[in-house]
CSV table of all heavy atoms in Angstrom, one decimal:
chain,number,residue,atom,x,y,z
A,248,VAL,N,-0.4,10.3,1.7
A,248,VAL,CA,0.2,11.6,1.5
A,248,VAL,C,-0.8,12.5,0.8
A,248,VAL,O,-1.6,12.0,0.0
A,248,VAL,CB,1.4,11.6,0.5
A,248,VAL,CG1,2.7,12.0,1.3
A,248,VAL,CG2,1.6,10.3,-0.2
A,251,GLY,N,-1.5,18.1,-2.1
A,251,GLY,CA,-2.4,19.2,-2.5
A,251,GLY,C,-1.7,19.9,-3.7
A,251,GLY,O,-1.3,19.3,-4.7
A,271,ASN,N,7.3,26.7,-11.1
A,271,ASN,CA,8.1,25.6,-11.4
A,271,ASN,C,7.5,24.7,-12.4
A,271,ASN,O,7.7,24.7,-13.6
A,271,ASN,CB,8.4,24.8,-10.2
A,271,ASN,CG,9.8,24.5,-10.2
A,271,ASN,OD1,10.5,24.9,-11.0
A,271,ASN,ND2,10.2,23.7,-9.2
A,276,ALA,N,5.6,22.8,-17.7
A,276,ALA,CA,4.5,22.1,-18.5
A,276,ALA,C,4.1,23.0,-19.7
A,276,ALA,O,4.2,22.5,-20.8
A,276,ALA,CB,3.3,21.9,-17.6
A,283,MET,N,8.6,24.9,-27.4
A,283,MET,CA,9.6,25.8,-27.8
A,283,MET,C,10.9,25.5,-27.0
A,283,MET,O,10.9,24.9,-26.0
A,283,MET,CB,9.2,27.2,-27.3
A,283,MET,CG,8.0,27.7,-28.1
A,283,MET,SD,7.3,29.1,-27.2
A,283,MET,CE,8.6,30.3,-27.4
A,286,ARG,N,16.0,28.6,-25.2
A,286,ARG,CA,16.7,29.9,-25.4
A,286,ARG,C,17.1,29.9,-26.9
A,286,ARG,O,17.3,28.9,-27.6
A,286,ARG,CB,18.0,30.0,-24.5
A,286,ARG,CG,18.9,28.7,-24.6
A,286,ARG,CD,20.0,28.9,-23.5
A,286,ARG,NE,20.7,27.7,-23.4
A,286,ARG,CZ,21.6,27.5,-22.4
A,286,ARG,NH1,21.7,28.4,-21.4
A,286,ARG,NH2,22.2,26.4,-22.3
A,415,ARG,N,29.8,26.5,-9.8
A,415,ARG,CA,29.2,27.6,-10.5
A,415,ARG,C,30.1,28.8,-10.6
A,415,ARG,O,30.0,29.6,-11.4
A,415,ARG,CB,27.9,28.1,-9.8
A,415,ARG,CG,26.7,27.2,-10.1
A,415,ARG,CD,25.4,27.9,-9.7
A,415,ARG,NE,24.4,26.9,-9.6
A,415,ARG,CZ,23.3,27.0,-8.8
A,415,ARG,NH1,23.2,28.1,-8.0
A,415,ARG,NH2,22.4,26.1,-8.8
A,441,GLY,N,48.8,7.3,-34.0
A,441,GLY,CA,48.6,5.8,-34.1
A,441,GLY,C,48.4,5.1,-32.8
A,441,GLY,O,48.4,3.9,-32.7
A,446,GLU,N,40.5,0.3,-23.0
A,446,GLU,CA,40.1,0.4,-21.6
A,446,GLU,C,40.5,-0.9,-21.0
A,446,GLU,O,40.1,-2.0,-21.4
A,446,GLU,CB,38.5,0.5,-21.6
A,446,GLU,CG,38.0,1.8,-22.1
A,446,GLU,CD,36.5,1.8,-22.2
A,446,GLU,OE1,35.8,1.5,-21.2
A,446,GLU,OE2,36.0,2.0,-23.3
A,459,ARG,N,49.2,0.7,-1.1
A,459,ARG,CA,48.1,-0.2,-0.6
A,459,ARG,C,46.9,-0.1,-1.7
A,459,ARG,O,46.6,1.0,-2.2
A,459,ARG,CB,47.6,0.4,0.7
A,459,ARG,CG,46.9,-0.7,1.6
A,459,ARG,CD,46.4,0.0,2.8
A,459,ARG,NE,47.4,0.2,3.9
A,459,ARG,CZ,47.9,1.4,4.2
A,459,ARG,NH1,47.5,2.5,3.6
A,459,ARG,NH2,48.8,1.5,5.1
A,471,GLU,N,36.9,-14.1,-1.7
A,471,GLU,CA,37.9,-13.5,-2.6
A,471,GLU,C,37.6,-12.0,-2.9
A,471,GLU,O,36.4,-11.6,-2.7
A,471,GLU,CB,37.9,-14.3,-3.9
A,471,GLU,CG,38.3,-15.8,-3.7
A,471,GLU,CD,38.5,-16.5,-5.0
A,471,GLU,OE1,37.9,-16.2,-6.0
A,471,GLU,OE2,39.4,-17.4,-5.0
A,473,TYR,N,38.5,-8.5,-5.5
A,473,TYR,CA,39.1,-7.8,-6.6
A,473,TYR,C,39.9,-6.6,-5.9
A,473,TYR,O,39.7,-6.3,-4.7
A,473,TYR,CB,38.1,-7.1,-7.5
A,473,TYR,CG,37.1,-8.0,-8.2
A,473,TYR,CD1,35.8,-8.1,-7.7
A,473,TYR,CD2,37.5,-8.7,-9.3
A,473,TYR,CE1,34.9,-9.0,-8.3
A,473,TYR,CE2,36.5,-9.5,-9.9
A,473,TYR,CZ,35.3,-9.7,-9.4
A,473,TYR,OH,34.4,-10.5,-10.1
A,488,VAL,N,52.4,-7.3,-25.6
A,488,VAL,CA,52.6,-8.7,-26.1
A,488,VAL,C,51.5,-9.1,-27.1
A,488,VAL,O,51.7,-9.9,-28.0
A,488,VAL,CB,52.5,-9.6,-24.8
A,488,VAL,CG1,52.6,-11.1,-25.2
A,488,VAL,CG2,53.6,-9.3,-23.8
A,492,GLU,N,50.9,-2.5,-30.0
A,492,GLU,CA,52.1,-1.6,-30.4
A,492,GLU,C,52.0,-0.2,-29.8
A,492,GLU,O,53.0,0.3,-29.3
A,492,GLU,CB,52.2,-1.5,-31.9
A,492,GLU,CG,52.4,-2.9,-32.5
A,492,GLU,CD,53.2,-3.0,-33.8
A,492,GLU,OE1,53.8,-1.9,-34.2
A,492,GLU,OE2,53.3,-4.0,-34.4
A,515,THR,N,43.9,10.6,-11.9
A,515,THR,CA,43.8,10.2,-13.4
A,515,THR,C,45.2,10.3,-14.0
A,515,THR,O,46.0,11.2,-13.7
A,515,THR,CB,42.9,11.2,-14.1
A,515,THR,OG1,41.6,11.2,-13.4
A,515,THR,CG2,42.7,10.9,-15.5
A,525,GLU,N,63.0,2.3,-28.1
A,525,GLU,CA,64.0,2.6,-27.1
A,525,GLU,C,63.6,3.9,-26.4
A,525,GLU,O,62.7,4.5,-26.7
A,525,GLU,CB,65.3,2.9,-27.8
A,525,GLU,CG,65.8,1.7,-28.6
A,525,GLU,CD,66.7,2.2,-29.8
A,525,GLU,OE1,67.0,3.4,-29.9
A,525,GLU,OE2,67.0,1.3,-30.6
A,743,GLU,N,73.3,-10.0,-11.9
A,743,GLU,CA,73.6,-11.3,-11.3
A,743,GLU,C,74.4,-11.2,-10.1
A,743,GLU,O,74.7,-12.2,-9.4
A,743,GLU,CB,74.3,-12.2,-12.4
A,743,GLU,CG,73.5,-12.4,-13.6
A,743,GLU,CD,74.3,-13.0,-14.7
A,743,GLU,OE1,75.2,-13.9,-14.4
A,743,GLU,OE2,74.1,-12.6,-15.9
A,745,GLN,N,75.9,-10.6,-6.4
A,745,GLN,CA,75.4,-10.9,-5.0
A,745,GLN,C,75.8,-9.7,-4.1
A,745,GLN,O,75.4,-9.7,-2.9
A,745,GLN,CB,75.9,-12.2,-4.4
A,745,GLN,CG,75.8,-13.4,-5.3
A,745,GLN,CD,74.3,-13.7,-5.5
A,745,GLN,OE1,73.5,-13.8,-4.6
A,745,GLN,NE2,73.9,-13.9,-6.8
A,776,ASP,N,61.7,-10.1,-20.9
A,776,ASP,CA,62.4,-11.5,-20.9
A,776,ASP,C,62.0,-12.1,-19.6
A,776,ASP,O,62.2,-11.5,-18.5
A,776,ASP,CB,63.9,-11.2,-21.0
A,776,ASP,CG,64.7,-12.5,-20.9
A,776,ASP,OD1,64.8,-13.0,-19.7
A,776,ASP,OD2,65.2,-13.0,-21.9
A,782,ARG,N,64.6,-12.7,-12.2
A,782,ARG,CA,65.8,-12.2,-11.4
A,782,ARG,C,65.4,-10.9,-10.7
A,782,ARG,O,65.8,-10.7,-9.5
A,782,ARG,CB,67.0,-12.0,-12.3
A,782,ARG,CG,68.2,-11.4,-11.6
A,782,ARG,CD,68.7,-12.2,-10.4
A,782,ARG,NE,69.8,-11.6,-9.8
A,782,ARG,CZ,70.1,-11.8,-8.5
A,782,ARG,NH1,69.4,-12.6,-7.7
A,782,ARG,NH2,71.2,-11.2,-8.0
A,807,TYR,N,55.7,-16.0,-24.9
A,807,TYR,CA,55.0,-16.2,-26.2
A,807,TYR,C,55.3,-15.0,-27.2
A,807,TYR,O,54.4,-14.5,-27.8
A,807,TYR,CB,53.5,-16.3,-26.0
A,807,TYR,CG,53.1,-17.6,-25.4
A,807,TYR,CD1,52.8,-17.7,-24.0
A,807,TYR,CD2,53.0,-18.7,-26.1
A,807,TYR,CE1,52.4,-18.9,-23.4
A,807,TYR,CE2,52.7,-19.9,-25.6
A,807,TYR,CZ,52.4,-20.0,-24.2
A,807,TYR,OH,52.0,-21.2,-23.6
A,844,GLY,N,39.7,11.0,3.0
A,844,GLY,CA,39.1,10.2,1.9
A,844,GLY,C,37.6,10.3,1.8
A,844,GLY,O,36.9,9.5,1.3
A,845,ARG,N,37.1,11.4,2.4
A,845,ARG,CA,35.6,11.5,2.5
A,845,ARG,C,35.1,12.5,1.3
A,845,ARG,O,35.7,13.5,1.1
A,845,ARG,CB,35.1,12.1,3.8
A,845,ARG,CG,35.3,11.2,5.0
A,845,ARG,CD,34.3,11.6,6.1
A,845,ARG,NE,33.0,11.1,5.8
A,845,ARG,CZ,32.6,9.9,6.0
A,845,ARG,NH1,33.3,9.0,6.6
A,845,ARG,NH2,31.3,9.6,5.7
A,862,GLU,N,25.5,-10.9,2.1
A,862,GLU,CA,25.6,-11.4,0.7
A,862,GLU,C,27.1,-11.6,0.3
A,862,GLU,O,27.5,-12.4,-0.4
A,862,GLU,CB,24.9,-10.5,-0.3
A,862,GLU,CG,23.5,-10.7,-0.4
A,862,GLU,CD,23.0,-10.0,-1.7
A,862,GLU,OE1,23.4,-8.8,-2.0
A,862,GLU,OE2,22.1,-10.5,-2.4
A,866,LYS,N,32.2,-9.8,7.6
A,866,LYS,CA,31.7,-9.2,8.8
A,866,LYS,C,32.6,-8.1,9.2
A,866,LYS,O,33.8,-8.1,8.9
A,866,LYS,CB,31.7,-10.2,9.9
A,866,LYS,CG,30.7,-11.3,9.9
A,866,LYS,CD,31.0,-12.4,11.0
A,866,LYS,CE,30.0,-13.5,11.0
A,866,LYS,NZ,28.7,-13.1,11.5
B,223,VAL,N,71.4,-16.9,-5.6
B,223,VAL,CA,71.1,-17.2,-7.0
B,223,VAL,C,72.3,-17.1,-7.9
B,223,VAL,O,73.2,-16.2,-7.6
B,223,VAL,CB,70.1,-16.2,-7.6
B,223,VAL,CG1,68.8,-16.9,-7.9
B,223,VAL,CG2,69.9,-15.0,-6.8
B,226,GLY,N,74.2,-17.2,-14.0
B,226,GLY,CA,75.2,-17.5,-15.0
B,226,GLY,C,74.9,-16.6,-16.2
B,226,GLY,O,74.6,-15.5,-16.1
B,246,ASN,N,68.2,-12.4,-27.1
B,246,ASN,CA,67.4,-11.4,-26.4
B,246,ASN,C,68.1,-10.2,-25.9
B,246,ASN,O,68.1,-9.1,-26.6
B,246,ASN,CB,66.8,-12.1,-25.2
B,246,ASN,CG,65.4,-11.8,-25.2
B,246,ASN,OD1,64.9,-11.2,-26.1
B,246,ASN,ND2,64.7,-12.3,-24.2
B,258,MET,N,69.8,3.0,-32.8
B,258,MET,CA,69.0,3.0,-34.0
B,258,MET,C,67.6,2.6,-33.6
B,258,MET,O,67.4,1.9,-32.7
B,258,MET,CB,69.5,1.9,-35.0
B,258,MET,CG,70.9,2.2,-35.5
B,258,MET,SD,71.6,0.8,-36.3
B,258,MET,CE,70.5,0.6,-37.7
B,261,ARG,N,62.6,0.1,-36.5
B,261,ARG,CA,62.1,-0.1,-37.8
B,261,ARG,C,62.0,1.1,-38.6
B,261,ARG,O,61.8,2.2,-38.1
B,261,ARG,CB,60.7,-0.8,-37.8
B,261,ARG,CG,59.7,-0.1,-36.9
B,261,ARG,CD,58.5,-1.0,-36.8
B,261,ARG,NE,57.6,-0.5,-35.8
B,261,ARG,CZ,56.5,-1.2,-35.3
B,261,ARG,NH1,56.3,-2.4,-35.8
B,261,ARG,NH2,55.8,-0.7,-34.5
B,300,ARG,N,50.9,-4.8,-36.3
B,300,ARG,CA,49.6,-4.3,-36.2
B,300,ARG,C,49.0,-3.8,-37.5
B,300,ARG,O,47.8,-3.8,-37.8
B,300,ARG,CB,49.5,-3.2,-35.2
B,300,ARG,CG,48.1,-2.8,-34.7
B,300,ARG,CD,48.1,-1.6,-33.8
B,300,ARG,NE,47.8,-0.3,-34.4
B,300,ARG,CZ,48.1,0.8,-33.9
B,300,ARG,NH1,48.6,1.0,-32.7
B,300,ARG,NH2,47.7,1.9,-34.6
B,390,ARG,N,46.1,-10.8,-30.5
B,390,ARG,CA,46.9,-10.8,-31.7
B,390,ARG,C,46.2,-11.2,-32.9
B,390,ARG,O,46.6,-10.8,-34.0
B,390,ARG,CB,48.1,-11.8,-31.5
B,390,ARG,CG,49.2,-11.2,-30.7
B,390,ARG,CD,50.5,-12.1,-30.9
B,390,ARG,NE,51.4,-11.9,-29.8
B,390,ARG,CZ,52.3,-12.7,-29.3
B,390,ARG,NH1,52.4,-13.9,-29.9
B,390,ARG,NH2,53.0,-12.4,-28.3
B,421,GLU,N,35.1,14.1,-15.3
B,421,GLU,CA,35.3,12.9,-14.6
B,421,GLU,C,34.6,12.9,-13.3
B,421,GLU,O,34.9,13.7,-12.4
B,421,GLU,CB,36.7,12.6,-14.4
B,421,GLU,CG,37.5,12.4,-15.7
B,421,GLU,CD,39.0,12.3,-15.5
B,421,GLU,OE1,39.4,11.4,-14.6
B,421,GLU,OE2,39.8,13.1,-16.0
B,434,ARG,N,22.6,-4.3,-7.6
B,434,ARG,CA,23.4,-4.4,-6.5
B,434,ARG,C,24.8,-3.7,-6.8
B,434,ARG,O,25.3,-3.8,-7.9
B,434,ARG,CB,23.7,-5.9,-6.3
B,434,ARG,CG,24.1,-6.3,-4.9
B,434,ARG,CD,24.4,-7.7,-4.8
B,434,ARG,NE,23.3,-8.6,-4.7
B,434,ARG,CZ,22.9,-9.4,-5.7
B,434,ARG,NH1,23.5,-9.4,-6.9
B,434,ARG,NH2,21.8,-10.2,-5.5
B,446,GLU,N,32.9,1.6,7.3
B,446,GLU,CA,32.2,2.3,6.3
B,446,GLU,C,32.7,1.8,4.9
B,446,GLU,O,33.8,1.3,4.8
B,446,GLU,CB,32.4,3.8,6.4
B,446,GLU,CG,31.8,4.3,7.7
B,446,GLU,CD,31.7,5.8,7.8
B,446,GLU,OE1,32.5,6.5,7.2
B,446,GLU,OE2,30.8,6.3,8.4
B,448,TYR,N,32.7,2.5,0.5
B,448,TYR,CA,32.4,3.2,-0.7
B,448,TYR,C,31.6,2.2,-1.6
B,448,TYR,O,31.6,1.0,-1.3
B,448,TYR,CB,33.7,3.6,-1.5
B,448,TYR,CG,34.6,4.5,-0.8
B,448,TYR,CD1,35.8,4.0,-0.2
B,448,TYR,CD2,34.4,5.9,-0.8
B,448,TYR,CE1,36.7,4.8,0.4
B,448,TYR,CE2,35.3,6.7,-0.1
B,448,TYR,CZ,36.5,6.2,0.4
B,448,TYR,OH,37.4,7.0,1.0
B,463,VAL,N,23.1,21.3,-12.0
B,463,VAL,CA,22.9,22.3,-10.9
B,463,VAL,C,24.1,23.3,-10.9
B,463,VAL,O,23.9,24.5,-10.6
B,463,VAL,CB,22.6,21.7,-9.6
B,463,VAL,CG1,22.4,22.7,-8.5
B,463,VAL,CG2,21.4,20.8,-9.7
B,467,GLU,N,25.9,22.8,-17.8
B,467,GLU,CA,25.0,22.9,-19.0
B,467,GLU,C,25.1,21.7,-19.9
B,467,GLU,O,24.0,21.1,-20.4
B,467,GLU,CB,25.1,24.2,-19.8
B,467,GLU,CG,24.9,25.4,-18.9
B,467,GLU,CD,24.3,26.6,-19.5
B,467,GLU,OE1,23.9,26.5,-20.7
B,467,GLU,OE2,24.3,27.6,-18.9
B,490,THR,N,30.8,0.0,-20.1
B,490,THR,CA,31.2,1.4,-20.4
B,490,THR,C,30.0,2.2,-21.0
B,490,THR,O,29.2,1.6,-21.8
B,490,THR,CB,32.3,1.5,-21.4
B,490,THR,OG1,33.4,0.8,-20.8
B,490,THR,CG2,32.8,2.9,-21.7
B,500,GLU,N,14.3,20.2,-23.5
B,500,GLU,CA,13.2,19.3,-23.5
B,500,GLU,C,13.6,18.0,-24.2
B,500,GLU,O,14.6,17.9,-24.8
B,500,GLU,CB,12.1,20.0,-24.3
B,500,GLU,CG,11.6,21.3,-23.8
B,500,GLU,CD,11.0,22.2,-24.8
B,500,GLU,OE1,10.9,21.8,-26.0
B,500,GLU,OE2,10.7,23.4,-24.5
B,711,VAL,N,4.5,15.8,-18.6
B,711,VAL,CA,4.0,17.0,-18.1
B,711,VAL,C,2.5,16.9,-17.7
B,711,VAL,O,2.1,17.4,-16.7
B,711,VAL,CB,4.2,18.1,-19.1
B,711,VAL,CG1,3.6,19.4,-18.7
B,711,VAL,CG2,5.7,18.3,-19.4
B,718,GLU,N,-0.1,12.9,-7.5
B,718,GLU,CA,-0.7,13.0,-6.2
B,718,GLU,C,-1.8,12.0,-5.9
B,718,GLU,O,-2.3,11.9,-4.7
B,718,GLU,CB,-1.3,14.4,-6.0
B,718,GLU,CG,-0.3,15.5,-6.2
B,718,GLU,CD,-1.0,16.9,-6.2
B,718,GLU,OE1,-1.9,17.1,-5.4
B,718,GLU,OE2,-0.6,17.7,-7.1
B,720,GLN,N,-3.8,8.6,-5.0
B,720,GLN,CA,-3.6,7.5,-4.1
B,720,GLN,C,-4.0,6.2,-4.8
B,720,GLN,O,-3.9,5.1,-4.2
B,720,GLN,CB,-4.4,7.6,-2.8
B,720,GLN,CG,-4.2,8.9,-2.1
B,720,GLN,CD,-2.8,9.1,-1.7
B,720,GLN,OE1,-2.2,8.2,-1.1
B,720,GLN,NE2,-2.1,10.2,-2.0
B,751,ASP,N,12.8,19.5,-9.2
B,751,ASP,CA,12.0,20.2,-8.1
B,751,ASP,C,12.0,19.3,-6.9
B,751,ASP,O,11.7,18.1,-7.0
B,751,ASP,CB,10.6,20.4,-8.7
B,751,ASP,CG,9.6,20.9,-7.7
B,751,ASP,OD1,9.2,20.2,-6.7
B,751,ASP,OD2,9.3,22.1,-7.8
B,757,ARG,N,8.0,13.4,-3.7
B,757,ARG,CA,6.8,12.6,-4.0
B,757,ARG,C,7.2,11.3,-4.7
B,757,ARG,O,6.6,10.3,-4.5
B,757,ARG,CB,5.8,13.5,-4.8
B,757,ARG,CG,4.6,12.7,-5.2
B,757,ARG,CD,3.8,12.1,-4.1
B,757,ARG,NE,2.6,11.4,-4.5
B,757,ARG,CZ,2.0,10.4,-3.9
B,757,ARG,NH1,2.5,10.0,-2.7
B,757,ARG,NH2,1.0,9.8,-4.4
B,782,TYR,N,18.8,25.1,-4.6
B,782,TYR,CA,19.7,26.2,-4.9
B,782,TYR,C,19.7,26.6,-6.4
B,782,TYR,O,20.7,26.8,-7.0
B,782,TYR,CB,21.1,25.9,-4.4
B,782,TYR,CG,21.2,25.9,-2.9
B,782,TYR,CD1,21.2,24.7,-2.2
B,782,TYR,CD2,21.3,27.1,-2.2
B,782,TYR,CE1,21.3,24.8,-0.8
B,782,TYR,CE2,21.4,27.1,-0.9
B,782,TYR,CZ,21.4,26.0,-0.2
B,782,TYR,OH,21.5,26.0,1.2
B,819,GLY,N,32.2,-13.8,-13.2
B,819,GLY,CA,32.9,-12.5,-12.8
B,819,GLY,C,34.4,-12.7,-12.7
B,819,GLY,O,35.1,-11.9,-12.1
B,820,ARG,N,35.0,-13.8,-13.2
B,820,ARG,CA,36.4,-14.0,-13.1
B,820,ARG,C,37.2,-13.5,-14.3
B,820,ARG,O,36.7,-13.7,-15.4
B,820,ARG,CB,36.7,-15.5,-12.9
B,820,ARG,CG,36.1,-16.1,-11.6
B,820,ARG,CD,36.9,-17.4,-11.3
B,820,ARG,NE,38.2,-17.1,-10.8
B,820,ARG,CZ,38.5,-16.8,-9.5
B,820,ARG,NH1,37.5,-16.7,-8.6
B,820,ARG,NH2,39.7,-16.5,-9.2
B,841,LYS,N,36.3,-9.1,8.6
B,841,LYS,CA,36.6,-10.5,8.7
B,841,LYS,C,35.8,-11.2,7.7
B,841,LYS,O,34.7,-10.8,7.3
B,841,LYS,CB,36.2,-11.0,10.1
B,841,LYS,CG,37.1,-10.6,11.2
B,841,LYS,CD,36.5,-11.0,12.5
B,841,LYS,CE,37.3,-10.6,13.7
B,841,LYS,NZ,38.5,-11.4,13.9
Side-chain angles (χ1 to χ4, degrees):
Chain A
V248 245
N271 227 6
M283 293 165 65
R286 52 187 170 194
R415 279 193 199 155
E446 293 173 55
R459 202 186 283 107
E471 299 190 329
Y473 302 100
V488 179
E492 304 210 8
T515 304
E525 298 156 5
E743 298 168 42
Q745 306 298 309
D776 175 286
R782 174 57 182 156
Y807 288 101
R845 294 201 75 83
E862 279 196 319
K866 284 172 183 287
Chain B
V223 246
N246 227 7
M258 293 166 65
R261 52 187 171 194
R300 194 183 98 193
R390 279 194 200 155
E421 294 173 55
R434 202 184 283 106
E446 299 190 330
Y448 301 100
V463 179
E467 304 211 8
T490 304
E500 299 156 5
V711 174
E718 297 169 45
Q720 306 298 311
D751 175 286
R757 173 59 182 155
Y782 288 101
R820 293 201 75 82
K841 286 170 182 287

